[in-house]
Amino acid sequence: MEDKIRVLIPEQEVDEKVKEIGKRISEDYAGKSVHLICVLKGGVFFTCELAKRISVPVSLDFMSVSSYGSGTESSGVVKIVKDLDEPLAGKHVLIVEDIIDSGRTLSYLIEILKQRNPADIRICTLLDKPSRRVKKEVQVDYTCFSIPDEFVVGYGLDYDQKYRNLPYIGVVEL
Ligand code: PRP
């Protein structure tokens, strides 16, 4: 059976916002290079689109983590499924996420990546659900959209591994 998906943020709006955030990042990192860390799988679409909109030199690396949780809740106990290929020492690291929910994944990631001595670490997310935050200490530097607590898909976000490729942000009407 096909799921019903309601458009929450249309494609054009997402594209314009990614462009705007890319410009801000380019200004903030003027004279430096930025090392983007894409958190797989959800972060991949946003990372690629964002990277195209950044005008300072960009390098990319990928990490895959899995959260030991019960279904939709992340537990904060995160297992590294695929580690980064490159060292981080001295780099200006920007972690790119599709969504921040409880903040547990990111809180854990920041702690382990800090130990690798980057010059600094900032966070960029496509979506944020501030009402769901448990880890209040997680500071997000760049947020494209703050959204209510709805089941969102598209632009990298999945429902049962489907819909990551939608070019807009949608809500699954269950
Ligand atoms: C999502 C998202 C974040 C995490 C956010 O990943 O990409 O990594 O959950 O949740 P939190 O703030 O509550 O920790 P998910 O585990 O769905 O994996 P996926 O990107 O491969 O779909």
Side-chain angles (χ1 to χ4, degrees):
M1 202 182 80
E2 287 226 346
D3 302 295
K4 212 172 157 228
I5 297 171
R6 163 170 58 87
V7 177
L8 181 68
I9 309 169
E11 181 175 358
Q12 198 188 341
E13 211 178 308
V14 182
D15 290 347
E16 278 165 16
K17 184 59 84 172
V18 173
K19 209 171 174 179
E20 183 191 314
I21 295 286
K23 189 166 176 277
R24 258 181 60 203
I25 291 170
S26 306
E27 288 162 4
D28 292 353
Y29 286 84
K32 302 175 193 161
S33 301
V34 59
H35 189 62
L36 302 184
I37 293 182
C38 169
V39 185
L40 297 169
K41 301 175 188 163
V44 75
F45 289 81
F46 178 44
T47 304
C48 294
E49 293 305 314
L50 183 69
K52 289 194 278 183
R53 302 299 182 183
I54 296 176
S55 55
V56 298
V58 167
S59 51
L60 279 176
D61 207 343
F62 299 84
M63 194 160 187
S64 179
V65 295
S66 81
S67 173
Y68 295 106
S70 54
T72 56
E73 281 284 310
S74 69
S75 61
V77 183
V78 176
K79 185 177 91 172
I80 298 178
V81 178
K82 184 221 168 290
D83 205 342
L84 299 169
D85 292 333
E86 308 288 333
L88 296 184
K91 291 181 183 160
H92 300 286
V93 168
L94 183 60
I95 302 176
V96 184
E97 268 284 20
D98 54 339
I99 190 162
I100 304 172
D101 195 328
S102 69
R104 289 186 179 111
T105 306
L106 213 43
S107 169
Y108 178 85
L109 262 187
I110 293 166
E111 280 319 304
I112 47 170
L113 297 186
K114 259 188 195 166
Q115 293 165 17
R116 302 182 187 185
N117 302 315
D120 45 54
I121 300 185
R122 290 189 193 173
I123 313 296
C124 179
T125 190
L126 177 63
L127 303 174
D128 188 8
K129 283 184 178 176
S131 65
R132 297 264 305 166
R133 190 78 85 258
V134 173
K135 294 282 183 183
K136 310 262 189 225
E137 71 275 13
V138 172
Q139 295 285 330
V140 187
D141 301 279
Y142 306 97
T143 302
C144 291
F145 302 98
S146 284
I147 57 163
D149 186 17
E150 295 194 274
F151 198 108
V152 280
V153 292
Y155 227 91
L157 293 132
D158 74 305
Y159 170 47
D160 211 10
Q161 299 302 326
K162 292 179 291 185
Y163 309 124
R164 291 192 196 272
N165 59 315
L166 296 179
Y168 57 87
I169 311 292
V171 174
V172 183
E173 313 248 58
L174 295 171

